[in-house]
Amino acid sequence: MAKLITPFRDKTPKIRPDAYIDCSARIIGDVIIEEGVSVWPMVVLRADSAAIYIKRNAAILDLSLVEAPTGYSVTIDEEALISHGAVIHGAFIQKRALIGIGAIILDGAVVSSGSIVGAGSVVPSGTRIPPNSLVMGMPGKIVRETTEAERDFILEQIQGLYSKSRLYKNVT
Protein backbone atom coordinates (compact mmCIF):
# COMPACT_ATOMS: atom_id res chain seq x y z
CA MET A 1 0.00 0.00 0.00
CA ALA A 2 1.33 3.46 -0.87
CA LYS A 3 2.01 5.95 1.87
CA LEU A 4 -0.32 8.95 2.01
CA ILE A 5 2.21 11.71 1.39
CA THR A 6 0.77 14.87 -0.13
CA PRO A 7 2.51 18.00 -1.40
CA PHE A 8 0.70 21.28 -0.73
CA ARG A 9 1.35 24.20 -3.04
CA ASP A 10 5.15 24.38 -3.36
CA LYS A 11 5.88 22.29 -0.23
CA THR A 12 6.53 18.56 -0.36
CA PRO A 13 7.25 16.48 2.76
CA LYS A 14 10.94 15.60 3.16
CA ILE A 15 11.40 12.22 4.81
CA ARG A 16 14.72 10.55 5.53
CA PRO A 17 14.79 7.06 3.98
CA ASP A 18 15.49 5.31 7.29
CA ALA A 19 12.43 6.84 9.02
CA TYR A 20 9.52 4.45 9.54
CA ILE A 21 6.24 5.83 8.21
CA ASP A 22 3.23 3.53 8.53
CA CYS A 23 1.32 3.13 5.27
CA SER A 24 -1.83 4.60 6.88
CA ALA A 25 -0.14 7.79 8.14
CA ARG A 26 -1.05 11.03 6.33
CA ILE A 27 1.76 13.58 5.81
CA ILE A 28 0.87 16.87 4.15
CA GLY A 29 2.91 19.91 3.09
CA ASP A 30 5.97 21.44 4.74
CA VAL A 31 7.02 18.47 6.90
CA ILE A 32 10.63 17.47 7.59
CA ILE A 33 11.19 14.04 9.15
CA GLU A 34 14.72 13.20 10.27
CA GLU A 35 16.49 9.85 10.63
CA GLY A 36 15.20 7.21 13.01
CA VAL A 37 11.76 8.80 13.39
CA SER A 38 8.75 6.50 13.64
CA VAL A 39 5.26 7.59 12.59
CA TRP A 40 2.68 4.95 13.50
CA PRO A 41 -0.78 3.97 12.15
CA MET A 42 -3.25 6.71 11.23
CA VAL A 43 -1.09 9.62 12.38
CA VAL A 44 -1.79 12.92 10.60
CA LEU A 45 0.98 15.49 10.14
CA ARG A 46 -0.57 18.54 8.47
CA ALA A 47 1.67 21.46 7.52
CA ASP A 48 -0.32 23.43 4.99
CA SER A 49 0.05 26.76 6.84
CA ALA A 50 3.35 26.50 8.77
CA ALA A 51 6.16 23.90 9.01
CA ILE A 52 6.45 20.70 11.06
CA TYR A 53 9.89 19.42 12.08
CA ILE A 54 10.19 15.91 13.52
CA LYS A 55 13.73 15.46 14.84
CA ARG A 56 15.95 12.39 15.11
CA ASN A 57 14.46 9.27 16.78
CA ALA A 58 11.20 10.94 17.83
CA ALA A 59 8.10 8.71 17.84
CA ILE A 60 4.50 9.69 17.07
CA LEU A 61 2.06 6.95 18.01
CA ASP A 62 -1.23 5.79 16.54
CA LEU A 63 -4.06 8.26 15.85
CA SER A 64 -2.13 11.39 16.82
CA LEU A 65 -2.65 14.71 15.06
CA VAL A 66 0.17 17.20 14.59
CA GLU A 67 -0.88 20.44 12.90
CA ALA A 68 1.05 23.65 12.25
CA PRO A 69 -1.50 26.48 11.97
CA THR A 70 -0.66 29.89 10.54
CA GLY A 71 2.03 31.54 12.65
CA TYR A 72 2.88 28.44 14.71
CA SER A 73 5.35 25.92 13.38
CA VAL A 74 5.64 22.63 15.26
CA THR A 75 8.87 21.02 16.42
CA ILE A 76 8.98 17.59 17.97
CA ASP A 77 12.55 17.39 19.17
CA GLU A 78 14.97 14.47 19.33
CA GLU A 79 13.76 11.40 21.20
CA ALA A 80 10.41 12.97 22.12
CA LEU A 81 7.44 10.63 22.42
CA ILE A 82 3.92 11.57 21.35
CA SER A 83 1.51 8.93 22.68
CA HIS A 84 -1.66 7.53 21.09
CA GLY A 85 -4.34 10.01 20.15
CA ALA A 86 -2.45 13.12 21.26
CA VAL A 87 -2.95 16.48 19.54
CA ILE A 88 0.02 18.78 19.02
CA HIS A 89 -1.26 22.08 17.59
CA GLY A 90 1.38 24.72 16.92
CA ALA A 91 3.62 23.70 19.84
CA PHE A 92 7.26 22.84 20.62
CA ILE A 93 7.93 19.49 22.29
CA GLN A 94 11.54 19.40 23.47
CA LYS A 95 14.01 16.53 23.65
CA ARG A 96 12.93 13.45 25.63
CA ALA A 97 9.55 14.84 26.63
CA LEU A 98 6.56 12.48 26.72
CA ILE A 99 3.06 13.57 25.74
CA GLY A 100 0.54 11.13 27.23
CA ILE A 101 -2.37 9.35 25.58
CA GLY A 102 -5.01 11.80 24.40
CA ALA A 103 -3.19 14.89 25.69
CA ILE A 104 -3.62 18.21 23.85
CA ILE A 105 -0.83 20.77 23.49
CA LEU A 106 -1.99 24.10 22.00
CA ASP A 107 -0.54 26.99 19.97
CA GLY A 108 2.73 28.45 21.20
CA ALA A 109 3.07 26.04 24.13
CA VAL A 110 6.49 24.63 24.98
CA VAL A 111 6.91 21.32 26.79
CA SER A 112 10.54 21.27 27.97
CA SER A 113 13.00 18.38 28.07
CA GLY A 114 12.36 15.55 30.49
CA SER A 115 8.75 16.58 31.08
CA ILE A 116 5.70 14.33 30.99
CA VAL A 117 2.22 15.58 30.12
CA GLY A 118 -0.23 13.09 31.60
CA ALA A 119 -2.92 11.27 29.64
CA GLY A 120 -5.89 13.48 28.77
CA SER A 121 -4.21 16.67 29.98
CA VAL A 122 -4.51 19.98 28.13
CA VAL A 123 -1.61 22.44 27.93
CA PRO A 124 -3.14 25.83 27.01
CA SER A 125 -1.81 28.16 24.32
CA GLY A 126 1.39 29.98 25.22
CA THR A 127 2.14 27.85 28.30
CA ARG A 128 5.80 27.11 29.00
CA ILE A 129 6.36 23.90 30.94
CA PRO A 130 9.79 23.94 32.67
CA PRO A 131 12.24 21.02 32.26
CA ASN A 132 11.52 17.80 34.16
CA SER A 133 7.91 18.67 35.04
CA LEU A 134 4.97 16.29 35.45
CA VAL A 135 1.83 18.02 34.14
CA MET A 136 -1.71 16.75 34.74
CA GLY A 137 -5.24 18.04 34.34
CA MET A 138 -7.41 20.41 32.31
CA PRO A 139 -5.89 22.90 32.18
CA GLY A 140 -2.57 21.20 32.79
CA LYS A 141 -0.85 22.06 36.06
CA ILE A 142 2.63 21.10 37.20
CA VAL A 143 2.18 18.58 40.02
CA ARG A 144 5.84 17.75 40.68
CA GLU A 145 9.21 17.14 39.06
CA THR A 146 9.71 13.98 37.03
CA THR A 147 11.95 11.40 38.64
CA GLU A 148 15.14 10.05 37.12
CA ALA A 149 13.33 6.72 36.68
CA GLU A 150 10.52 8.43 34.74
CA ARG A 151 13.02 10.20 32.50
CA ASP A 152 14.84 6.89 31.94
CA PHE A 153 11.46 5.32 31.06
CA ILE A 154 10.97 7.89 28.26
CA LEU A 155 14.32 6.95 26.74
CA GLU A 156 13.59 3.21 27.12
CA GLN A 157 10.26 3.68 25.32
CA ILE A 158 11.92 5.62 22.50
CA GLN A 159 14.60 2.95 22.13
CA GLY A 160 11.97 0.20 22.10
CA LEU A 161 9.89 2.01 19.48
CA TYR A 162 12.99 2.55 17.35
CA SER A 163 13.77 -1.19 17.51
CA LYS A 164 10.17 -2.13 16.71
CA SER A 165 10.11 0.34 13.80
CA ARG A 166 13.12 -1.46 12.29
CA LEU A 167 11.11 -4.71 12.32
CA TYR A 168 8.14 -3.00 10.64
CA LYS A 169 10.40 -1.28 8.13
CA ASN A 170 11.80 -4.62 7.01
CA VAL A 171 8.29 -6.09 6.62
CA THR A 172 6.46 -3.23 4.88
Side-chain angles (χ1 to χ4, degrees), residues 35-107:
E35 64 273 359
V37 167
S38 59
V39 178
W40 295 89
M42 300 181 75
V43 167
V44 175
L45 305 177
R46 185 159 68 89
D48 54 11
S49 297
I52 295 174
Y53 305 96
I54 313 294
K55 303 288 185 148
R56 185 181 58 79
N57 294 346
I60 305 172
L61 299 183
D62 315 51
L63 300 169
S64 293
L65 167 65
V66 179
E67 182 181 353
T70 301
Y72 293 97
S73 65
V74 172
T75 299
I76 298 176
D77 213 346
E78 295 180 9
E79 300 175 331
L81 175 54
I82 311 302
S83 294
H84 306 82
V87 175
I88 310 299
H89 196 270
F92 180 19
I93 311 302
Q94 291 185 353
K95 184 175 181 175
R96 293 189 186 165
L98 186 153
I99 308 303
I101 295 170
I104 300 171
I105 316 298
L106 295 172
D107 299 349

Side-chain angles (χ1 to χ4, degrees), residues 13-172:
K14 294 173 182 63
I15 302 168
R16 289 292 297 258
D18 67 334
Y20 168 68
I21 310 297
D22 185 82
C23 64
S24 67
R26 184 71 191 234
I27 302 173
I28 303 166
D30 193 6
V31 179
I32 297 173
I33 296 176
E34 293 185 353
E35 64 273 359
V37 167
S38 59
V39 178
W40 295 89
M42 300 181 75
V43 167
V44 175
L45 305 177
R46 185 159 68 89
D48 54 11
S49 297
I52 295 174
Y53 305 96
I54 313 294
K55 303 288 185 148
R56 185 181 58 79
N57 294 346
I60 305 172
L61 299 183
D62 315 51
L63 300 169
S64 293
L65 167 65
V66 179
E67 182 181 353
T70 301
Y72 293 97
S73 65
V74 172
T75 299
I76 298 176
D77 213 346
E78 295 180 9
E79 300 175 331
L81 175 54
I82 311 302
S83 294
H84 306 82
V87 175
I88 310 299
H89 196 270
F92 180 19
I93 311 302
Q94 291 185 353
K95 184 175 181 175
R96 293 189 186 165
L98 186 153
I99 308 303
I101 295 170
I104 300 171
I105 316 298
L106 295 172
D107 299 349
V110 176
V111 177
S112 295
S113 299
S115 293
I116 297 173
V117 176
S121 298
V122 176
V123 176
S125 297
T127 302
R128 296 192 175 273
I129 304 299
N132 304 323
S133 297
L134 176 61
V135 176
M136 300 181 80
M138 292 176 29
K141 303 281 186 203
I142 298 167
V143 296
R144 63 173 170 80
E145 281 194 13
T146 55
T147 65
E148 186 174 342
E150 289 166 330
R151 293 187 298 273
D152 289 344
F153 173 78
I154 296 169
L155 184 56
E156 289 168 14
Q157 292 300 302
I158 284 295
Q159 290 168 339
L161 287 162
Y162 176 81
S163 295
K164 186 182 282 188
S165 75
R166 301 302 87 189
L167 296 173
Y168 273 88
K169 193 154 177 64
N170 288 332
V171 172
T172 57

